[in-house]
Every structure is written in structure tokens, then in C-alpha cells.
Amino acid sequence: MSSDPASRAGAILEIDLGAIVANWRLLAQKAAPAACAAVVKANAYGLGAAPVARALQAAGCRLFFVATLDEGIGLRGALGPGPEIAVFNGPLPGTTAEFAPHWLVPVLNDPGQIESWKKQPGVPAILHVDTGMSRLGLTAREFATLATELPQSGIAWRAVISHLACADSPDHPLNERQRTRFAAAARHMSGVPAGLAASSGIFLGRPYHFDLVRPGAALYGVNPQPGHPNPLRQVVRLTGKILQIREIDRGESVGYGAAHVMETAGRVATVAVGYADGWLRSLSHRGCGYIAGKRIPLLGRVSMDLVTFDVSAVDPALAHPGALVELLGQHYGVDDAATDAGTIGYEILTALGARYHRIYRDPTATNDSA
Ligand SMILES: Cc1ncc(COP(=O)(O)O)c(C=O)c1O
């Protein structure tokens, strides 16, 4: 008889769907009367598009955004025919006919996508205008050329959107410039719901909300206002198993490159998580874990499947083979790991590995805080 998956896994990732729902409600309340969609691209930022979107659907979310057609088809299968699903990348050449059978709404990002969509009049689409990101969406010149014909193009415009480049820096002058440019574009699309703000944009205030907001990262607990207290709930808890404990003499090295040398004799725990699991190599020498609320520094380099921690100061009754080290959670959140790794919470989440045993905490189970 084989062991259960939690026993076999080197680490356990708990995803608190109740916290995601609570975060969506808080964002929706903040943006009201604008409608609040949910961005669940990249497998809901690594946390599982199907369970996350189902929980949000049950909480009342009616519009979901994914990045690709395949993500859209997968999500439609998970959600059934009810909610709207929009695809940020729009129809790539040769794929136009594949949206309608799955009731997917493309975001049209350039004149070519608009031209091909016009061939099926009355089918809904979202228009993306670029107001300062210089990434996707009609340029100002393209929009000026097409502005008068777009409302009469035969396309059933479901929304007009743009994306803020600097919303997490409230004082950045580009925010207001983008808002003004977007408001002008939205006026041309009279009667079409307008949406500019993602997570951080919601916190720029009412003038940025228009009719529709579309948060992603904040749903998953990433702080939308760096440098300020995070109003959102932590969503993930990651615990890794200790495989071995060893006593190491002063002057001995730990791990690849002999990159850490023990200044004093100590005890080191080897934990079954590595960069192949998304525990980024850039956390080498900088990250940490927690055992029973006590911080344990990460020693040396993160390797592919393993990471080492200094547990010299932890009661051996708590730090032993089989015991769990908290790698993400209330003490050390996604944003903390991102700071130590020199990246952003988005990357910590989307890197979370496939080898973790995943446990979804049910949003209706009130006592089940992970
Ligand atoms: C066009 C667009 N809208 C919304 C989002 C969601 O942004 P955030 O995760 O910052 O809320 C993204 C994410 O990258 C995006 O590309």
C-alpha cells in the first residue's frame, strides 16, 4: 500500500481560498460602484485557476481575465457557461474562430486583431488602448485613426481597457497622464464600460476606478501599496520537511561552492525544497524560515532540491527530521521572500513548484485558517 501524498511530498503548500475571497470582497468594496473582475492568468498566479476562480465565482465574481486562449478554454471547462472570461493576448493569427465556441471574449490589442474580429459582427470583444505602457493595445496614433469607426465597427464592445505602468508608485506623474489619456479614449467609446485599474490602481482612488477594475496580485495577498501596511490577507502557507539535522564544526563549509563557512559550531537542518520548486536561488544567504515562530537563517546557496537552515538556536525537540519549517506564512510572507530574493511577490507566487503537495482551504470553513 502506498503512502499518502502529503507524506511523500517534501513540502506542503496550503492555499487559503477563504482569504482570496475576502481579498476580492475588500477590493470590490473599495472600487464600488465599479464592478470588480478577477485576473486568474498564469494558473491564478500559480495558485490554481480552477479552484481559485470557482471560489470567486461562488462569491459573486462575474468576469475573469486570463492571458491565453488555452487558459481561457481550460477555465471555461472549470466554470461552466456562466461567467465571462476575457483573454488579454487576444486572437493570435489562425485562432479567431476558437473563441466563440467557448464563449471567450478576446482583448483586441492592435488594428489587425480588430480587423479580423470585424468579420464576425455582433461578437463581443474588449478594446485595449495603450496610454503609456508601450506593450499591448492601440497606440495613441492608431486609436486616433480608428476612433470614429470603432463604435460602428459591428463589434459588440464589452469594455475598453488600458493598463497602468506605475500604479504602485502613487506619486509617479505617469499615473495621472495615463488616467487623462484613458478618460479621453473612453469618451470616444460612449456607453462602453471602461476599466483602467489593476491591484495597485484601485488604491489610487476613485478617479482611477471608472466602471470596472481587474485586480490580480492583491487577490493573492501581494501588497498593492509597497511601503504601507498590507490591507490584504496572506493566502499561502508553505512548509518544508527537514530531511536531516547535522552538527557542523566551526570552520566547516555548507553547500555548493563552500559559500557558507560556519563561524561557530552549530546545527544545520536540510529541508526538501530547492530552486526547482521555485524557492529561488537568489534567496541564497538571504532567505529564512520559521520553526515555532522562531526565525532560522538560510545558510549558503539554495540548490535544486534542497536548502539549509541554521537551527542552532532552536530546541532539538522542534527541529528534527520530519519536522516542518515554515517557508511562507504569517511570519514571512510572499513580499518578504520577494524582497530577500530581489524580485516581486508576483514572481514568488508564479514560481511556486509543481512538486508541492497542495491543500486548498475551503472558503466556507471558517475555522480553517492555514
Ligand atoms: C493588462 C493587465 N491587467 C491586469 C493585470 C493584473 O495586475 P495586478 O496583478 O497588478 O493586479 C495584469 C497583470 O499583469 C495585466 O497585464
Side-chain angles (χ1 to χ4, degrees):
M1 204 175 82
S2 63
S3 52
D4 70 285
S7 305
R8 289 205 294 278
I12 294 162
L13 181 66
E14 294 166 64
I15 297 159
D16 186 347
L17 295 174
I20 295 176
V21 166
N23 290 342
W24 181 77
R25 289 201 170 115
L26 185 142
L27 296 164
Q29 214 169 41
K30 201 160 174 58
C36 190
V39 178
V40 294
K41 62 193 169 101
N43 199 26
Y45 292 45
L47 301 186
V52 165
R54 278 197 205 108
L56 290 173
Q57 181 183 21
C61 184
R62 291 287 165 264
L63 172 59
F64 295 89
F65 283 90
V66 294
T68 69
L69 175 59
D70 281 337
E71 286 181 350
I73 292 170
L75 189 62
R76 178 60 72 206
L79 295 185
E84 279 185 289
I85 300 173
V87 180
F88 277 132
N89 290 358
L92 304 186
T95 67
T96 305
E98 292 176 67
F99 282 72
H102 304 278
W103 305 286
L104 300 175
V105 180
V107 176
L108 305 181
N109 295 299
D110 61 47
Q113 289 186 336
I114 293 170
E115 209 42 49
S116 64
W117 206 254
K118 273 176 11 188
K119 294 182 185 129
Q120 19 175 26
V123 182
I126 291 174
L127 177 68
H128 187 177
V129 293
D130 180 14
T131 53
M133 187 78 166
S134 303
R135 199 178 61 165
L136 285 179
L138 293 185
T139 65
R141 209 168 293 134
E142 287 166 344
F143 184 75
T145 307
L146 295 174
T148 48
E149 71 169 77
L150 283 172
Q152 288 100 44
S153 59
I155 296 172
W157 293 113
R158 167 65 186 85
V160 53
I161 66 166
S162 191
H163 194 45
L164 294 165
C166 305
D168 58 353
S169 306
D171 297 331
H172 200 292
L174 186 54
N175 290 326
E176 179 55 18
R177 270 209 309 275
Q178 285 197 262
R179 194 192 69 76
T180 310
R181 288 172 184 165
F182 182 64
R187 270 195 299 277
H188 275 287
M189 303 294 291
S190 158
V192 177
L196 177 63
S199 296
S200 298
I202 292 172
F203 291 82
L204 293 177
R206 181 74 197 105
Y208 285 82
H209 296 165
F210 292 88
D211 306 305
L212 171 71
V213 298
R214 42 172 214 281
L219 297 173
Y220 313 115
V222 173
N223 190 354
Q225 301 174 287
H228 294 269
N230 190 350
L232 300 155
R233 279 175 57 181
Q234 260 320 297
V235 166
V236 294
R237 182 162 185 264
L238 175 65
T239 48
K241 276 180 204 162
I242 297 178
L243 298 177
Q244 285 197 1
I245 299 277
R246 61 184 58 216
E247 305 284 343
I248 302 189
D249 294 338
R250 176 171 176 268
E252 289 295 315
S253 65
V254 179
Y256 278 120
H260 178 83
V261 176
M262 299 294 283
E263 283 176 11
T264 56
R267 245 174 328 116
V268 170
T270 302
V271 173
V273 164
Y275 60 75
D277 302 298
W279 202 243
L280 303 180
R281 193 166 179 275
S282 49
L283 286 165
S284 298
H285 307 289
R286 301 170 61 96
C288 68
Y290 279 80
I291 294 182
K294 192 170 185 64
R295 184 181 186 279
I296 52 170
L298 192 157
L299 292 187
R301 292 184 188 164
V302 176
S303 49
M304 187 183 290
D305 317 299
L306 301 169
V307 62
T308 42
F309 292 95
D310 185 347
V311 292
S312 308
V314 179
D315 182 346
L318 297 171
H320 56 80
L324 293 174
V325 172
E326 186 178 274
L327 299 171
L328 288 173
Q330 294 305 331
H331 297 101
Y332 188 69
V334 167
D335 290 311
D336 299 314
T339 302
D340 282 344
T343 183
I344 52 177
Y346 297 63
E347 193 176 26
I348 296 291
L349 288 174
T350 54
L352 288 168
R355 295 192 292 194
Y356 298 147
H357 175 63
R358 291 177 175 230
I359 298 173
Y360 287 92
R361 300 289 179 206
D362 186 339
T364 54
T366 46
N367 294 329
D368 212 5
S369 77

